[in-house]
Amino acid sequence: MQLINQQSMQRNSQHAVCESDDAAEQHRGFRQSNHDYRRITSRLCLYSGVLLLFAAIGCADSSEKQMDDTVASMQPAASSQTVENVGTRIRLTEITPDCGLNFVARTGQEDGRFTILESLGTGVAMVDMDRDQMLDVIAIGGGTFDGSGIPQGRPHGIFRQRATLRFDDVSSLSGLCNDAAYSHGVSIGDWDNDGFEDVLITGFQSIRLFRNNGDGTFEDVSSAVSFPNDAWSTSSAFLDADGDGDLEFYIVNYVNWTPENNPECQVNGHRDVCPPGSFSAISDLLYNNNGDGSFQRISETSGLNEGGKGLAVISGDVDLDGDSDLYVANDTNANFLYINNGRGEFTDNALVAGCALGPTMDAEGSMGVEFADFNKDRLPDIWVSNYENQSFAMYESRAPGVFQHVSAIRGITAVGRLFVGFGTGAFDADLDGDLDIYAANGHVMYGEQSKPALQLPLVYENLDGAMFRNVAQQTGNYGTQVHMGRGVAFGDLDRDGRTDLAIAHSNEPVSILRNTSATDSGWVAVELVGKLGNRSAIGVHAVVNDSVRLVTGGGSYLSDSSNQLIWAVPSGTKTSTIEVIWPSGVRQVQDISTNTVNIVWERVEQKISIR
């Protein structure tokens, strides 16, 4: 494997040479930060009120920056794939060859067009399509190019789990398979509240909404929505924005690339994919569910920002006030934290909340997102996978909706800054009571031979909320292999209480990793079903043994995961108590059984005020 030298590490100081005269000034390296935004935010930080707030939450904490720089200076200069040689009980066993799931997403790289379109890759989803209590898998197909360079779609892969860890390819029967559009992302949500999860697929100049027919097949109902046909859409997420009990959806858009706007760029003397700085941003979209099968675009009246260059979005009650908020991962622009006022009106609080930028007040190349309580204080934190030369970001909650960048002091930075992170998420891999992290990695450039395009994954083992260590190479054969990782979905495929993974790669087969970690613990799992609120329970937060979990929409990267919630409990425990706060305001406390999946329906007699 190629080693990364000091010169190639200085990626942000290199320029791509484009056909247009001013293209080199438009961006600085492959993941150039937005200097105008940084200059504005730096000036804002000088204002006394904001400065005091930043000091309180650590957004501009100089000690954090010093720690981050100190740890970074200790990293080996030679290898981008350094891992810690430690023991762990976490085991993730690849079972793909034996489970019947055989699928490869394509990007069109073989056509030699060097488009930024092909760098994004595809996502994957875990969802129980037919309500048989077994999770199925949807893998997005990507695309190629015709002889004129026009993007062409490829069929998606739809796999029904017919027996434990045995999948049937039902792509041609599902109604989801054939897609003429070059596609990237998939999200899941029961927007019509009929008890069956529906599907939204995003891609280049294509957004398609599907209704679940209740038998594992789907109907394309995109005509009920006035989707634009000129946007490049990446990820999406369902959420109940206005608290009326049905699901809206948020669409993340990227940049204005088209086959006609495809400059030839060079990096280090070689033609390569043009960076996002070569293109202007496209603003995101929000659609209101009218409740009658139709949808209305409300992006312009809901407080959303213009631009962004978004790649991922997650919805959930991150400030624990009873409604669904949004966090958007943007590529080279500041990330958005949209706080909901409960009526579907959003305010971007990311800057003042401490989760818009990196520890040096730079916008970063963010790809994957997660809401999770990593330090077990019952407050959701924000996790973001980033581009190389940037530490993956852990924004730890200091109060509801207030965050501090803690990657250095939690050991995240110590793993190294040289991974290009994409799909990611939190799960208690070894059922020891704290949430671990998985991240899929892979480069987006072709020409720089000193930087491996295929990269190792990361498995951050959580050490009781205080520190994290990368144990990927000790988790099994997959963790020792390099891949072009992209989307990741999480869910308990075999119903044993241990979360499994589905991983999408660019131009490689999808992988299914079964969690075979040794554990001394029992577990409780719940599937929440809304009655007053949305049936998917998106926006719920629930607590078992003083540990909080959120039901979210979207997340990871171009992907969506099972909404089932799992907690570790002491071995021998027969029942546990769960506290559920529903978006409707209902607070529900009840006993649930261990070592089985519990179905918990929203009750109506315990309504409380949480706003």
Side-chain angles (χ1 to χ4, degrees):
M1 184 172 297
Q2 298 288 342
L3 302 181
I4 292 185
N5 56 40
Q6 189 66 29
Q7 180 181 3
S8 64
M9 288 174 60
Q10 305 303 319
R11 196 157 203 277
N12 286 338
S13 67
Q14 297 166 352
H15 293 264
V17 179
C18 300
E19 288 181 323
S20 58
D21 293 338
D22 60 347
E25 294 300 323
Q26 194 178 8
H27 63 282
R28 179 172 168 258
F30 197 87
R31 285 295 187 265
Q32 164 66 18
S33 297
N34 186 318
H35 286 292
D36 290 338
Y37 189 94
R38 289 163 49 194
R39 186 162 55 248
I40 292 170
T41 56
S42 296
R43 290 174 181 171
L44 284 173
C45 289
L46 294 176
Y47 296 145
S48 58
V50 178
L51 183 59
L52 288 173
L53 180 58
F54 281 173
I57 64 178
C59 178
D61 188 344
S62 61
S63 62
E64 167 73 8
K65 179 182 181 299
Q66 291 170 2
M67 172 70 78
D68 202 61
D69 292 342
T70 299
V71 174
S73 68
M74 298 169 61
Q75 299 309 308
S79 175
S80 67
Q81 314 235 358
T82 302
V83 294
E84 300 174 32
N85 186 18
V86 294
T88 180
R89 296 203 298 181
I90 298 176
R91 294 292 182 271
L92 302 173
T93 304
E94 181 161 17
I95 62 170
T96 317
D98 303 319
C99 71
L101 198 156
N102 182 18
F103 185 79
V104 178
R106 310 300 302 185
T107 67
Q109 177 183 351
E110 66 275 10
D111 295 324
R113 296 191 175 274
F114 295 94
T115 71
I116 190 174
L117 183 71
E118 61 207 70
S119 67
L120 266 58
T122 59
V124 62
M126 284 194 196
V127 55
D128 184 359
M129 297 188 298
D130 49 8
R131 304 298 298 170
D132 65 354
Q133 305 303 308
M134 291 192 291
L135 290 176
D136 311 303
V137 174
I138 299 173
I140 300 303
T144 57
F145 301 89
D146 67 12
S148 300
I150 306 300
Q152 305 292 308
R154 285 178 55 86
H156 311 306
I158 317 300
F159 297 90
R160 179 179 182 269
Q161 191 175 185
R162 58 175 170 80
T164 301
L165 301 178
R166 296 292 183 271
F167 294 88
D168 286 339
D169 187 340
V170 297
S171 303
S172 61
L173 303 174
S174 67
L176 291 171
C177 173
N178 295 321
D179 199 335
Y182 193 118
S183 300
H184 298 292
V186 56
S187 62
I188 306 298
D190 183 5
W191 58 263
D192 56 357
N193 280 334
D194 66 351
F196 294 91
E197 298 287 356
D198 307 304
V199 174
L200 183 64
I201 296 177
T202 48
F204 178 71
Q205 298 182 347
S206 174
I207 306 169
R208 297 182 68 184
L209 181 66
F210 294 87
R211 180 183 182 274
N212 193 328
N213 294 321
D215 57 1
T217 66
F218 294 81
E219 176 188 2
D220 189 340
V221 295
S222 305
S223 59
V225 192
S226 297
F227 288 128
N229 59 7
D230 59 351
W232 179 8
S233 302
T234 54
S235 295
S236 60
F238 286 90
L239 74 157
D240 183 1
D242 52 9
D244 65 352
D246 55 32
L247 292 177
E248 282 69 50
F249 48 84
Y250 185 98
I251 306 291
V252 180
N253 289 326
Y254 195 40
V255 299
N256 70 335
W257 178 91
T258 65
E260 297 75 30
N261 181 26
N262 184 38
E264 290 193 12
C265 295
Q266 293 191 354
V267 176
N268 290 342
H270 300 280
R271 186 178 178 188
D272 216 316
V273 175
C274 289
S278 300
F279 309 94
S280 60
I282 304 175
S283 298
D284 297 343
L285 302 171
L286 179 64
Y287 284 85
N288 180 63
N289 188 340
N290 295 325
D292 58 1
S294 66
F295 297 83
Q296 178 184 1
R297 178 169 164 175
I298 57 172
S299 318
E300 295 76 13
T301 59
S302 299
L304 304 187
N305 296 332
E306 295 184 359
K309 299 185 180 180
L311 288 175
V313 59
I314 187 169
S315 67
D317 189 7
V318 74
D319 58 357
L320 303 182
D321 68 348
D323 52 38
S324 283
D325 311 297
L326 291 158
Y327 187 82
V328 181
N330 290 320
D331 190 5
T332 73
N333 286 334
N335 295 336
F336 303 147
L337 174 63
Y338 288 121
I339 297 300
N340 193 346
N341 68 358
R343 301 184 298 275
E345 298 166 350
F346 294 89
T347 301
D348 180 11
N349 280 5
L351 180 61
V352 296
C355 56
L357 308 170
T360 60
M361 293 299 293
D362 288 327
E364 298 184 314
S366 299
M367 271 80 83
V369 291
E370 174 68 293
F371 290 160
D373 177 16
F374 293 110
N375 60 345
K376 300 189 296 185
D377 63 355
R378 292 187 61 161
L379 294 174
D381 309 309
I382 299 175
W383 167 257
V384 183
S385 62
N386 282 324
Y387 194 71
E388 66 180 17
N389 296 330
Q390 303 163 356
S391 173
F392 287 17
M394 180 171 286
Y395 299 103
E396 204 168 87
S397 183
R398 293 290 175 250
V402 180
F403 303 90
Q404 179 184 6
H405 192 291
V406 297
S407 296
I409 62 177
R410 296 294 179 237
I412 302 300
T413 303
V415 172
R417 300 168 178 262
L418 303 176
F419 294 92
V420 179
F422 285 94
T424 192
F427 66 125
D428 188 354
D430 48 3
L431 289 178
D432 65 351
D434 53 33
L435 291 173
D436 311 294
I437 300 170
Y438 185 91
N441 304 302
H443 221 293
V444 295
M445 302 180 70
Y446 303 146
E448 292 194 272
Q449 298 303 314
S450 62
K451 299 182 180 180
L454 307 182
Q455 297 186 350
L456 292 169
L458 291 169
V459 180
Y460 285 106
E461 182 178 6
N462 190 340
L463 304 179
D464 200 32
M467 291 289 291
F468 289 81
R469 59 180 183 177
N470 177 31
V471 297
Q473 285 195 322
Q474 286 74 51
T475 61
N477 287 340
Y478 184 90
T480 68
Q481 300 167 356
V482 294
H483 295 276
M484 188 72 78
R486 289 300 186 261
V488 181
F490 300 80
D492 184 6
L493 289 169
D494 53 0
R495 299 171 68 85
D496 67 351
R498 292 172 290 188
T499 302
D500 311 298
L501 286 74
I503 306 171
H505 308 105
S506 291
N507 306 311
E508 304 174 32
V510 168
S511 288
I512 302 295
L513 302 188
R514 184 184 186 189
N515 189 338
T516 57
S517 303
T519 178
D520 299 325
S521 297
W523 50 276
V524 296
V526 297
E527 179 183 340
L528 300 172
V529 182
K531 282 188 174 179
L532 295 178
N534 68 90
R535 289 282 293 245
S536 297
I538 294 171
V540 163
H541 65 275
V543 179
V544 172
N545 293 337
D546 213 36
S547 179
V548 69
R549 300 281 191 272
L550 303 187
V551 181
T552 59
S556 189
Y557 171 79
L558 305 176
S559 301
D560 212 338
S561 299
S562 166
N563 279 350
Q564 188 182 103
L565 304 178
I566 302 174
W567 289 264
V569 298
S571 181
T573 302
K574 294 184 178 180
T575 60
S576 292
T577 300
I578 186 171
E579 176 187 13
V580 185
I581 306 299
W582 299 87
S584 62
V586 169
R587 176 181 177 269
Q588 184 172 338
V589 179
Q590 71 179 64
D591 291 337
I592 52 176
S593 302
T594 61
N595 299 342
T596 187
V597 179
N598 299 267
I599 310 297
V600 176
W601 289 77
E602 181 179 13
R603 296 204 300 263
V604 300
E605 66 270 18
Q606 295 177 289
K607 192 165 186 178
I608 61 173
S609 176
I610 54 179
R611 291 195 174 89

